[in-house]
Amino acid sequence: MNWRGVSTIFVYEMKRFFRTLFQSLISPVISTTLYFVVFGSAIGGRITQIDGVSYGAFIVPGMIMLSLLTQSISNASFGIYFPRFSGTIYEYLSAPVSAMEMVMGFVGAAAAKSVLIGLVILATSTLFVSVSIMHPFWMMLFLVLTAVTFSLFGFIIGLWADGFEKLQIIPLLIVTPLTFLGGSFYSIRVLPPFWQQVSYFNPVVYLISGFRWAFYEVSDVSLYVSLGMTCVFMAVCLLAVGWIFRTGYRLKT
Amino acid sequence: MPPIIHVAGLSKTYSSGFSALKNIKLDIGQGEIFALLGPNGAGKTTLISILCGIVTKSSGTALVGGHDIEREFRATRRMIGLVPQELHLSIFEKVWDAVSFSRTLFGLPRNDGQIELILKELSLWDKRNDKIMALSGGMKRRVLIAKALAHEPKVLFLDEPTAGVDVELRKDMWNVVRGLRENGVTIILTTHYIEEAEEMADRVGVINKGELILVEDKKTLMEKLGQKRLSILLDQPLSTLPKKLQGHGLEIADGGKQLQYRYDGRHQKPDIAGLLRGLDAAKIGYHDVATTQSSLEEIFLGLVKQ
Ligand SMILES: Nc1ncnc2c1ncn2[C@@H]1O[C@H](COP(=O)(O)OP(=O)(O)O)[C@@H](O)[C@H]1O
Ligand SMILES: [Mg+2]
């Protein structure tokens, strides 16, 4: 194992984040505030409680997940796309760093960044509503697992993309809709039965449900189903990354 | 001593179907300066990229320091420093950070003293806190060299190191190269300038259209290269060289129908006018004068034109 190589990549990627710390944090904080204003006040005035949790508090886990997903994907996809685009990838490929070590450095840093952002959003939320976390361990577990999984997914997008537009298109066309339809701002049990069934095909439902359970012990699906589905999705991403490195797809010619 | 680089039967066909390297066989000894000479598109960068792990080979064997470049990539890549042909740098970084990044990426512990030494040697010390985007092209190339040296490689690849580089840097670079060689570092450079190969290399490999045409000691190659022949086609066959013409280095050829004169076209300007006056004085008639050069020379003329 070239641990020094891994930590070099990790630290380098984190430095980029801290260099632009203000920009990195300001946008999630502003959007959180907006969600509170729009959803919390406008809708919260009409729906006061879901499952015994005040609406404002109910949407906190979903909001964190929404940012976690988009940030993980954009951090990780940009992290690997940029060296490909600028040509500096040559150095990673010619270094004694294995494919797995490269993934650990890039994906680890992307996940660490989005976990930080998630925690900042959580802290911002407490300014608006009182948030209780009944199972902090499970909360962190879901936070980290989701960040890692979607950073892996972002890494794959960053490898696949051959232009800046493609970098944006998957988050825009797939991830944002799935997150909004995944129960970020409502319980899927309020949907008509047909759409409830459809929702079970949405992986984000399981993430948000498990995450919300860690806060309030209310969930749309069982905790272990949530955990299981998260791990399945992570395994799929890991397999895809493994395949990419074995074939050299988009990295080596 | 076993060669530090051993390549046999190495071929590369890109996914486009283009065959960029064909059955390359090459051994390079430790401490050599080897120049890979060939026109654009010959396959020089492809060969280097395969040895460094950037491009995957289609078939064949490639060992560095006796280790297989794929199965024992950690051992081989640790030994290799690469200065790429293009200025691939992340421009928002500072010089110092970029160079020390390269060292730890390769798994070596941080060593500020070593980085300082390298930066000073490449005249980058004053620029260590500058962002790379603020540097000129020549300075950027220095940064690439510093990055390649940061992990103290045993083999250094320089891919067209002098393309678009000023005289100053060229001098600095050759000084660094000589210093490295004294420490036993093997250097492989690619170029399409014969002069450059001649100035720096111990041995030269000529590559064209994916084939390694020849590998020679520089001296031998330069001698072969320089060979030119002036042929004077005579009206009347001669059996012996007239007294007056002796001393010009002429030989009788083609059964007396020609006089030939061999010279080194690279370092010698033959006194053709004097020669022809001598022929007139000896009353020897001729109807044509021709110079020919080795087929190698023709390849090189092609190279120089690029
Ligand atoms: N990724 C690639 N896909 C297809 N052909 C390529 C690729 N890279 C290089 N080539 C072709 O391979 C040949 C050799 O390229 P290269 O090794 O860069 O030559 P050199 O460095 O000697 O100029 C060129 O004709 C080039 O167009
Ligand atoms: Mg080249």
Side-chain angles (χ1 to χ4, degrees):
Chain A
M1 266 311 268
N2 178 359
W3 284 112
R4 243 186 232 118
V6 175
S7 87
T8 304
I9 298 174
F10 183 88
V11 168
Y12 178 80
E13 290 295 305
M14 290 309 277
K15 263 196 205 150
R16 213 156 41 86
F17 175 70
F18 285 111
R19 251 199 319 255
T20 54
L21 191 64
F22 187 70
Q23 290 104 299
S24 307
L25 292 182
I26 194 74
S27 117
V29 168
I30 287 180
S31 50
T32 309
T33 309
L34 284 176
Y35 286 132
F36 268 113
V37 172
V38 174
F39 290 101
S41 310
I43 303 177
R46 306 178 65 181
I47 311 170
T48 44
Q49 284 200 335
I50 296 181
D51 294 334
V53 180
S54 82
Y55 185 72
F58 182 85
I59 63 171
V60 170
M63 243 168 22
I64 296 176
M65 273 293 165
L66 180 62
S67 289
L68 199 66
L69 260 56
T70 43
Q71 290 290 331
S72 298
I73 291 177
S74 73
N75 284 333
S77 60
F78 191 77
I80 186 68
Y81 178 76
F82 193 70
R84 286 180 56 221
F85 171 76
S86 69
T88 51
I89 190 84
Y90 88 87
E91 194 171 22
Y92 298 96
L93 295 177
S94 64
V97 175
S98 71
M100 211 51 224
E101 288 159 359
M102 233 169 113
V103 171
M104 282 161 72
F106 277 105
V107 171
K113 284 178 220 175
S114 44
V115 166
L116 280 178
I117 289 172
L119 294 175
V120 166
I121 292 174
L122 180 59
T124 313
S125 307
T126 61
L127 301 177
F128 294 90
V129 288
S130 77
V131 180
S132 62
I133 304 168
M134 295 171 85
H135 302 280
F137 167 77
W138 283 95
M139 188 213 73
M140 279 313 288
L141 183 71
F142 272 105
L143 201 65
V144 171
L145 277 182
T146 308
V148 170
T149 303
F150 281 81
S151 296
L152 275 169
F153 186 54
F155 191 79
I156 295 167
I157 295 174
L159 284 177
W160 162 80
D162 50 14
F164 277 103
E165 322 77 56
K166 281 199 180 166
L167 222 48
Q168 311 284 349
I169 205 147
I170 296 221
L172 210 64
L173 285 186
I174 300 177
V175 178
T176 310
L178 283 186
T179 317
F180 270 93
L181 301 176
S184 310
F185 300 106
Y186 56 88
S187 163
I188 58 165
R189 271 177 286 129
V190 305
L191 297 173
F194 173 75
W195 289 108
Q196 272 190 46
Q197 291 304 315
V198 171
S199 295
Y200 289 122
F201 289 97
N202 179 353
V204 180
V205 166
Y206 300 93
L207 302 175
I208 292 179
S209 171
F211 194 51
R212 188 176 286 135
W213 179 87
F215 281 76
Y216 310 122
E217 284 187 334
V218 297
S219 61
D220 291 334
V221 293
S222 120
L223 172 68
Y224 292 100
V225 172
S226 287
L227 187 63
M229 292 301 276
T230 311
C231 292
V232 165
F233 194 46
M234 180 148 93
V236 170
C237 290
L238 272 174
L239 284 176
V241 168
W243 173 84
I244 282 169
F245 276 105
R246 257 199 315 282
T247 58
Y249 172 76
R250 300 272 172 151
L251 275 175
K252 299 187 185 189
T253 43
Chain B
M1 202 157 55
I4 191 135
I5 290 180
H6 170 74
V7 169
L10 186 74
S11 297
K12 172 66 188 178
T13 306
Y14 281 110
S15 54
S16 61
F18 183 81
S19 173
L21 290 177
K22 296 162 195 158
N23 200 14
I24 302 287
K25 181 182 178 336
L26 177 64
D27 283 330
I28 296 173
Q30 201 206 313
E32 258 193 291
I33 299 183
F34 187 89
L36 202 54
L37 182 62
N40 277 327
K44 304 181 294 294
T45 300
T46 302
L47 179 55
I48 286 185
S49 300
I50 288 174
L51 294 172
C52 292
I54 297 165
V55 168
T56 42
K57 62 180 161 62
S58 303
S59 59
T61 318
L63 308 180
V64 177
H67 302 287
D68 185 275
I69 56 158
E70 281 174 2
R71 273 180 289 112
E72 302 164 276
F73 72 94
R74 283 185 204 276
T76 61
R77 293 186 199 169
R78 228 179 268 277
M79 295 174 71
I80 296 176
L82 166 65
V83 181
Q85 182 173 353
E86 310 288 340
L87 296 175
H88 293 316
L89 284 163
S90 59
I91 55 173
F92 302 109
E93 253 186 307
K94 289 181 178 165
V95 171
W96 174 279
D97 295 339
V99 177
S100 73
F101 171 88
S102 300
R103 183 177 174 90
T104 51
L105 180 67
F106 275 70
L108 265 65
R110 190 177 152 163
N111 182 343
D112 291 355
Q114 183 68 24
I115 304 293
E116 181 176 340
L117 214 70
I118 292 168
L119 290 182
K120 282 185 172 157
E121 195 164 18
L122 285 158
S123 316
L124 281 169
W125 183 243
D126 295 338
K127 307 258 180 202
R128 65 189 178 281
N129 290 319
D130 287 10
K131 286 208 172 145
I132 289 170
M133 66 175 123
L135 302 181
S136 67
M139 281 292 167
K140 285 185 184 139
R141 189 155 305 268
R142 286 171 198 257
V143 175
L144 283 176
I145 299 172
K147 277 168 79 73
L149 294 177
H151 66 279
E152 300 166 54
K154 293 198 164 52
V155 178
L156 181 67
F157 288 101
L158 294 158
D159 199 356
E160 309 222 1
T162 55
V165 149
D166 52 281
V167 182
E168 193 80 2
L169 173 52
R170 204 181 273 229
K171 244 171 47 192
D172 273 10
M173 193 150 57
W174 293 153
N175 283 336
V176 171
V177 164
R178 287 194 186 96
L180 288 170
R181 196 253 276 279
E182 273 162 33
N183 292 319
V185 176
T186 309
I187 291 142
I188 293 116
L189 60 101
T190 73
T191 177
H192 48 249
Y193 299 112
I194 306 174
E195 293 76 18
E196 199 160 285
E198 184 173 12
E199 188 186 341
M200 289 309 302
D202 302 317
R203 226 151 47 100
V204 179
V206 180
I207 185 169
N208 195 27
K209 298 201 175 103
E211 287 177 84
L212 198 58
I213 305 168
L214 91 164
V215 178
E216 289 274 21
D217 275 349
K218 180 184 70 188
K219 270 205 184 116
T220 325
L221 180 69
M222 290 307 154
E223 276 163 18
K224 278 193 189 171
L225 253 183
Q227 285 292 321
K228 275 195 161 191
R229 195 173 57 201
L230 177 75
S231 306
I232 300 160
L233 279 61
L234 303 175
D235 293 338
Q236 302 291 330
L238 274 180
S239 51
T240 53
L241 205 60
K243 266 233 165 61
K244 283 189 179 166
L245 286 176
Q246 282 168 7
H248 281 288
L250 285 167
E251 289 164 29
I252 293 177
D254 196 16
K257 284 186 258 176
Q258 283 187 22
L259 287 175
Q260 285 187 347
Y261 171 64
R262 287 173 194 279
Y263 62 101
D264 176 358
R266 299 169 57 78
H267 298 116
Q268 226 177 313
K269 276 224 169 77
D271 178 20
I272 295 175
L275 200 64
L276 297 184
R277 275 197 303 275
L279 286 176
D280 285 340
K283 299 229 163 25
I284 294 175
Y286 55 93
H287 57 270
D288 205 356
V289 177
T291 60
T292 51
Q293 50 207 1
S294 58
S295 55
L296 252 186
E297 186 75 23
E298 270 153 32
I299 295 167
F300 283 112
L301 279 180
L303 295 185
V304 180
K305 261 190 250 145
Q306 299 278 339

